[in-house]
Amino acid sequence: MSRLLHILYNYEIVAQNDTNNIWVTELSRCLRRSYLMRKEGKTKVGLQEAMKMHIGAGVHMRLQSLLRKQGFETEVRVQRKTALGFTIIGRVDVYDKEENTVYELKYTHYDKLDKTRLSYYLRQLNYYIEMTNAMKGYLVIIHADGSIEEIKRDWAETDLESRANAFGIYINENKLPPKKKIPDSECNECPFFSFCWRGNRNGLT
């Protein structure tokens, strides 16, 4: 195996471990996965999943570069503190100051997103709309075949505060969040699948 492939095969996601700071990404997905990623510190993912992440990151950077030239702001840092003292931090992919609108960019190799994946993406969008106090936001989904779809959401109060407080308490008390009642598509792509379900992934989509 070449040195290049060796690096790709051994790619690890490094999680931050500041107990007072919580990232929007952590709150948008399964809290159990976010907790385990923090505890592991470094999480190894399969080569195929890693490459999907790299492709998505490349699409992000390319589109953000294009949109900056049109006056949009990109990677806008936002944060707020909860009543229990936890700081929620996030980075908005694209922000249109003129229209007070946020855009969340997502790349997918799926022809159609299922309910689980879509709800995860929309939760993240809704959190950013609330944190920026934007009028509205769009989830922009870029498919591998080059097609694009967008879903609009208006400002609405979310469970951001309560979910952040719950996750912060799990971290501070070193308590593992409960797993889902049954495994779903998010579980199927999770590096901790075997830890939670102790079975195989067959039958999950």
Side-chain angles (χ1 to χ4, degrees):
M1 181 186 295
S2 69
R3 180 168 175 265
L4 184 149
L5 279 185
H6 178 77
I7 292 171
L8 295 179
Y9 267 107
N10 290 282
Y11 176 77
E12 293 179 321
I13 301 173
V14 180
Q16 67 97 19
N17 202 27
D18 185 338
T19 56
N20 290 320
N21 291 336
I22 299 171
W23 287 87
V24 170
T25 304
E26 295 182 298
L27 300 176
S28 300
R29 64 182 172 224
C30 169
L31 295 186
R32 188 177 175 93
R33 174 174 179 168
S34 294
Y35 175 93
L36 289 169
M37 288 184 70
R38 281 195 177 219
K39 291 303 177 182
E40 289 291 323
K42 294 182 179 180
T43 305
K44 191 175 186 305
V45 296
L47 177 62
Q48 189 174 11
E49 289 304 312
M51 293 311 300
K52 292 174 188 174
M53 292 170 55
H54 296 321
I55 293 170
V59 171
H60 265 71
M61 290 187 289
R62 181 71 175 179
L63 293 179
Q64 287 174 327
S65 176
L66 183 154
L67 292 168
R68 278 195 300 271
K69 296 175 182 178
Q70 302 299 319
F72 291 84
E73 298 177 32
T74 62
E75 293 299 314
V76 179
R77 183 183 173 94
V78 292
Q79 69 179 60
R80 63 180 283 187
K81 184 162 285 191
T82 73
L84 296 184
F86 300 109
T87 300
I88 308 168
I89 303 172
R91 291 188 183 278
V92 176
D93 285 340
V94 179
Y95 177 64
D96 184 352
K97 188 174 183 180
E98 185 175 322
E99 295 189 351
N100 191 20
T101 301
V102 301
Y103 293 86
E104 180 66 18
L105 308 177
K106 294 295 182 186
Y107 167 84
T108 181
H109 59 285
Y110 293 105
D111 294 332
K112 184 177 178 60
L113 293 176
D114 66 10
K115 184 178 180 181
T116 301
R117 294 183 182 91
L118 188 59
S119 64
Y120 158 53
Y121 293 157
L122 287 173
R123 175 185 284 155
Q124 190 171 11
L125 173 67
N126 289 333
Y127 285 169
Y128 283 138
I129 294 173
E130 182 176 347
M131 291 181 73
T132 58
N133 200 31
M135 294 291 294
K136 60 184 179 293
Y138 291 90
L139 172 63
V140 181
I141 305 168
I142 302 102
H143 294 269
D145 65 359
S147 62
I148 301 177
E149 60 179 308
E150 65 177 20
I151 302 174
K152 179 186 176 184
R153 286 291 184 268
D154 294 319
W155 186 96
E157 190 172 353
T158 71
D159 65 348
L160 176 64
E161 173 100 3
S162 60
R163 194 167 172 86
N165 285 332
F167 185 63
I169 292 171
Y170 285 133
I171 294 296
N172 283 345
E173 296 183 355
N174 199 29
K175 182 179 178 182
L176 180 66
K179 67 180 182 181
K180 300 177 181 182
K181 293 182 179 180
I182 57 173
D184 57 22
S185 58
E186 183 180 16
C187 300
N188 191 39
E189 296 181 344
C190 179
F192 305 106
F193 180 93
S194 296
F195 174 82
C196 293
W197 304 108
R198 307 197 184 284
N200 61 57
R201 304 168 192 250
N202 294 337
L204 291 179
T205 57

